[in-house]
Amino acid sequence: MALKPTLPKGTRDILPQAMLEREYILDTVKGVFKKFGFLPIETPAMENASTLTGKYGEEGDRLIFKIMPRGEKAKQSADRIKAKEALRYDLTVPFARFVVQNQNELGFPFKRFQIQPVWRAETPQRGRYREFYQCDADAVGSDSLLLELDFISIYQEVFQKLGLSVKIKINNRKLLAGFAEVFGIEDRLTDFTICLDKLDKIGEDGVAKEMLEKGFDLKAIDGFKQIASISGTNSETLESLKEILATSEIGRKGIEEVSFVLKNVSNDCPLILDLTLARGLDYYTGAIFEVVTDEIQMGSIGGGGRYDDLTSIFGLKNVSGIGISFGLDRIQLVIQELSRFPKFANQSTQILFFNFGDEVALESLKWVNALRAQGIKADIYPDSSKFKKQINYASNRGVAYIALIENMPEGESNRLLIRNMETRKEENLSLEELVAKLK
Amino acid sequence: MALKPTLPKGTRDILPQAMLEREYILDTVKGVFKKFGFLPIETPAMENASTLTGKYGEEGDRLIFKIMPRGEKAKQSADRIKAKEALRYDLTVPFARFVVQNQNELGFPFKRFQIQPVWRAETPQRGRYREFYQCDADAVGSDSLLLELDFISIYQEVFQKLGLSVKIKINNRKLLAGFAEVFGIEDRLTDFTICLDKLDKIGEDGVAKEMLEKGFDLKAIDGFKQIASISGTNSETLESLKEILATSEIGRKGIEEVSFVLKNVSNDCPLILDLTLARGLDYYTGAIFEVVTDEIQMGSIGGGGRYDDLTSIFGLKNVSGIGISFGLDRIQLVIQELSRFPKFANQSTQILFFNFGDEVALESLKWVNALRAQGIKADIYPDSSKFKKQINYASNRGVAYIALIENMPEGESNRLLIRNMETRKEENLSLEELVAKLK
């Protein structure tokens, strides 16, 4: 007996309904990316192992899938454990490699989007896979704040088109660096932001306690309390910041950048200045973004920011960049749970001709060919199976109309009896009438 | 100094222009697949190694990329060489695994298409990569010949839409089995078809000589000569076949199937009955297809056929299937060499606002937002760089119009000076006029 087929841990098949949902999301995202001047690229799944290792920290290195050595050399045990290739772990490091390697072919500023799977050997959980898509857009080669505005507009437009109400949180690394400077904790910026990030979850007292445990002094904790007490609109937050950061040059620069962005986004943009937002701080140098939906509990469904030094790991210095990503799996889950996917009826067969034997099938074929020539998704059930089986097939596939050729009176071969699968109403139509109905 | 970044042997980056070409081909193919009732699926890149090994012959097994074991066990040398996961080698075996594993979720007949990369550790050559896309459509769960007609129509429509003149070659395994029966070489069918397949290249005498060397007897060689002497239209070929295969039941069945297909395809279908066509014979059980273009030397750009036993390797018996694939890389090469790709100008920025400093940029932003709201691909050059740099950027990206706000007379802020990048003609337009022009 053959073995029951299975898949590796943390991987999955994607069936047609889920594929159509993902296509709907990605087509929306791609359309907006292109409207904003971003063009697609792809990089190979396999990179040189040396390109990837050392870029994601120790823990990241352990989670990289490596390719097993092949050939004669691999049989010697010393070479057996040294992989030459590995599967990409994200799209960012391969993109940095891509920009450096293809710099003479690309015009700068270079704006690209990239939608491809990545692989991570993490412990699988509900909604967390070992193979999943990332969907990134980045612009490199310019430090213009106009790009910050563009990425915010992209988020706003995509989620508007997907019918999701979201908040776009924004922060700036320079503000955080300013706090560290003013509070005298420049050398502990990362620790500090990790604490700050917990304000929502454990409250002001919780964070203060944790800071104390971590050995922050009272000046730093007082500073944190100043930040935590800020409330009100984005403008009011900015006013408070001007006081707190008055003595920090980098802090003032951060205020300037954030002010520019807040002033120039569209009036209806759901942008919130969130001073606790950090997201992989070591990486970002300016703006930091995160998108959350307030309609459902789901964590972040997008994020990004500005980085100034991405390509220097591959030898190209002083190339500022900024990028965002969309969390495809989570966005799909949110729209599913809110039942906001459109009907994909137009993606499926619009009219299915039932098959009652060869003669009817060949007569149907003429109709089907004529309808397909008009761009209509017409099909014949391939076998002359029982009526019940054919109707179940039509129903499961979400077919809109079925055509019942054998029910036609003789001498009426230029007209067709169709049934609306939803209303069960039957109609007798000419080809022209049918085309008009289905288009 | 950082190392010069490179890619693993046989892999490649795909830059925007090539991506747009591929999108154009794949969008065409997907649109036709969907019109014919096929829906998308995806399977993971990583399959269990046991799913893949033993399915592609000894040589194939050697070419499968395997994933290196991780964790503690992998440190023991016995486990080190035993991969649990491997990268898919084609889309066919994963599809068979998919059908069996998801059989309760799928309605049969099940029609799917799948466009994903596969990996093979072959020696890279010009146009042959270790990572490349396959683009397959299959229908499983019906042996109706209507599906043969559908796949032929799909090939015809896709290549028509891509503007390529092609020939669709068709053959049938049952005809070849009939020859073997009549010539008394049932046990050497594969050897025989390998010889037959060389008729085009080495001619009738060459094949006869090779058959002799391979130990075929005179009866078989005479049989081959009978086949080689067949010429004329498809109908004439069928008539000759009726004589040769009169005594073979399976041969007569093959004639019946081919006759049905030839009779019922559209009149303008470039279908050629080619008795030498075999393509991985062990796999196919009925119709065999291959598409070639006569406009350029390029080998086959598509192929497929009917198989009766694909899912039985995973325990699901008696499921007939039929499928075709498109050779994405070769189709792209053909259209490139014939310069038949459309201009992708509409995919790129339609109008680029030049940047002459913050004041102009913010003024431009209002225009850009208004144009984007109308669905137009408008953009601002992010930095106030030199004019020459901005014009080069516009030119390299194939931008259609540039907008030169600073050249506008004062008091005319409701009108815009634009320049056609091709004709260099300048115009002075209102927003409404501009939208009308660019839509």
Side-chain angles (χ1 to χ4, degrees), chain B residues 4-194:
Chain B
K4 192 172 171 285
T6 58
L7 275 175
K9 200 162 77 162
T11 66
R12 61 190 152 158
D13 288 323
I14 303 181
L15 273 67
Q17 174 63 25
M19 277 296 290
L20 294 178
E21 292 174 1
R22 294 162 82 86
E23 262 187 11
Y24 165 77
I25 296 168
L26 291 178
D27 285 350
T28 305
V29 174
K30 279 189 216 173
V32 177
F33 282 162
K34 284 187 179 174
K35 196 163 102 172
F36 280 77
F38 292 78
L39 288 174
I41 69 158
E42 285 189 356
T43 61
M46 283 193 291
E47 294 274 351
N48 289 324
S50 59
T51 298
L52 304 185
T53 48
K55 312 298 189 298
Y56 306 103
E58 254 180 67
E59 172 67 2
D61 274 0
R62 261 197 303 277
L63 301 180
I64 294 174
F65 281 104
K66 299 198 177 72
I67 302 294
M68 214 149 118
R70 291 166 307 282
E72 284 312 307
K73 272 183 97 178
K75 288 189 190 138
Q76 296 155 34
S77 69
D79 282 300
R80 201 184 280 157
I81 50 164
K82 217 175 152 201
K84 271 163 58 188
E85 301 106 1
L87 296 182
R88 70 177 158 248
Y89 182 84
D90 70 1
L91 301 181
T92 307
V93 170
F95 176 57
R97 195 263 317 138
F98 173 97
V99 168
V100 179
Q101 191 170 334
N102 298 289
Q103 55 185 293
N104 297 326
E105 273 75 51
L106 312 174
F108 291 96
F110 178 64
K111 296 160 82 171
R112 81 86 172 83
F113 69 87
Q114 186 171 359
I115 302 170
Q116 293 190 275
V118 302
W119 293 266
R120 297 181 182 181
E122 290 186 280
T123 309
Q125 293 176 9
R126 186 174 174 279
R128 189 204 276 168
Y129 296 94
R130 291 184 153 196
E131 174 173 344
F132 59 96
Y133 273 81
Q134 287 194 336
C135 171
D136 286 15
D138 288 82
V140 295
S142 165
D143 59 5
S144 166
L145 292 172
L146 291 171
L147 294 169
E148 271 79 345
L149 294 177
D150 272 357
F151 282 109
I152 292 165
S153 298
I154 288 173
Y155 269 143
Q156 189 181 1
E157 185 164 339
V158 165
F159 288 111
Q160 211 160 31
K161 288 201 157 135
L162 294 177
L164 287 183
S165 165
V166 297
K167 285 191 174 42
I168 305 170
K169 296 183 190 172
I170 183 175
N171 198 4
N172 194 301
R173 158 76 177 238
K174 298 187 174 93
L175 296 178
L176 297 169
F179 293 141
E181 192 178 322
V182 171
F183 306 156
I185 47 170
E186 284 103 323
D187 55 336
R188 298 196 63 190
L189 177 56
T190 304
D191 274 352
F192 175 64
T193 56
I194 289 170

Side-chain angles (χ1 to χ4, degrees), chain A residues 364-381:
Chain A
S364 301
L365 197 60
K366 290 180 200 154
W367 283 88
V368 168
N369 288 337
L371 289 167
R372 284 175 176 165
Q374 300 290 325
I376 288 163
K377 297 185 174 69
D379 210 351
I380 312 177
Y381 192 87

Side-chain angles (χ1 to χ4, degrees), chain A residues 118-158:
Chain A
V118 302
W119 293 267
R120 297 180 182 182
E122 290 186 280
T123 309
Q125 295 176 7
R126 185 172 173 281
R128 189 204 276 169
Y129 296 94
R130 290 184 155 197
E131 174 173 345
F132 59 96
Y133 272 81
Q134 288 194 337
C135 172
D136 286 14
D138 289 81
V140 294
S142 166
D143 59 4
S144 166
L145 292 173
L146 293 171
L147 294 169
E148 272 77 347
L149 294 177
D150 272 356
F151 282 109
I152 291 166
S153 299
I154 288 173
Y155 270 143
Q156 188 181 3
E157 185 164 338
V158 165

Side-chain angles (χ1 to χ4, degrees), chain A residues 2-3 5-8 11-16 19-20 23 34-37 39-48 51 65-70 77 80-81 83 85 87 97-98 100-102 105-106 108-111 119 121 130-131 133 142-144 146-147 149-150 260 264 313-315 347 349 355 361-362 365 372 375-383 393 397, chain B residues 2-3 5-8 11-16 19-20 23 34-37 39-48 51 65-70 77 80-81 83 85 87 97-98 100-102 105-106 108-111 119 121 130-131 133 141-144 146 149-150 260 264 313-315 347 349 355 361-362 365 372 375-383 393 397:
Chain A
L3 282 175
T6 59
L7 276 175
T11 67
R12 62 190 150 157
D13 289 323
I14 303 183
L15 274 68
M19 278 296 290
L20 294 178
E23 263 187 10
K34 285 187 178 172
K35 196 163 102 173
F36 281 76
L39 288 174
I41 70 158
E42 285 189 356
T43 62
M46 283 193 292
E47 293 275 351
N48 289 324
T51 299
F65 281 104
K66 300 199 177 70
I67 302 294
M68 216 150 113
R70 294 164 306 282
S77 68
R80 199 183 282 157
I81 49 164
E85 301 105 1
L87 296 182
R97 195 263 317 138
F98 173 98
V100 180
Q101 193 169 332
N102 299 289
E105 273 75 51
L106 312 174
F108 291 97
F110 177 64
K111 296 160 82 173
W119 293 267
R130 290 184 155 197
E131 174 173 345
Y133 272 81
S142 166
D143 59 4
S144 166
L146 293 171
L147 294 169
L149 294 177
D150 272 356
F260 178 88
N264 289 300
I313 45 175
F314 298 111
Q347 297 271 1
T349 303
N355 189 330
L362 290 176
L365 197 60
R372 284 175 176 165
I376 288 163
K377 297 185 174 69
D379 210 351
I380 312 177
Y381 192 87
D383 306 292
Y393 178 85
R397 299 257 309 188
Chain B
L3 283 174
T6 58
L7 275 175
T11 66
R12 61 190 152 158
D13 288 323
I14 303 181
L15 273 67
M19 277 296 290
L20 294 178
E23 262 187 11
K34 284 187 179 174
K35 196 163 102 172
F36 280 77
L39 288 174
I41 69 158
E42 285 189 356
T43 61
M46 283 193 291
E47 294 274 351
N48 289 324
T51 298
F65 281 104
K66 299 198 177 72
I67 302 294
M68 214 149 118
R70 291 166 307 282
S77 69
R80 201 184 280 157
I81 50 164
E85 301 106 1
L87 296 182
R97 195 263 317 138
F98 173 97
V100 179
Q101 191 170 334
N102 298 289
E105 273 75 51
L106 312 174
F108 291 96
F110 178 64
K111 296 160 82 171
W119 293 266
R130 291 184 153 196
E131 174 173 344
Y133 273 81
S142 165
D143 59 5
S144 166
L146 291 171
L149 294 177
D150 272 357
F260 178 89
N264 290 300
I313 43 175
F314 299 111
Q347 298 270 2
T349 303
N355 189 331
L362 290 176
L365 197 61
R372 284 176 177 165
I376 288 163
K377 296 186 175 69
D379 211 350
I380 312 178
Y381 191 87
D383 306 292
Y393 178 84
R397 299 257 308 188

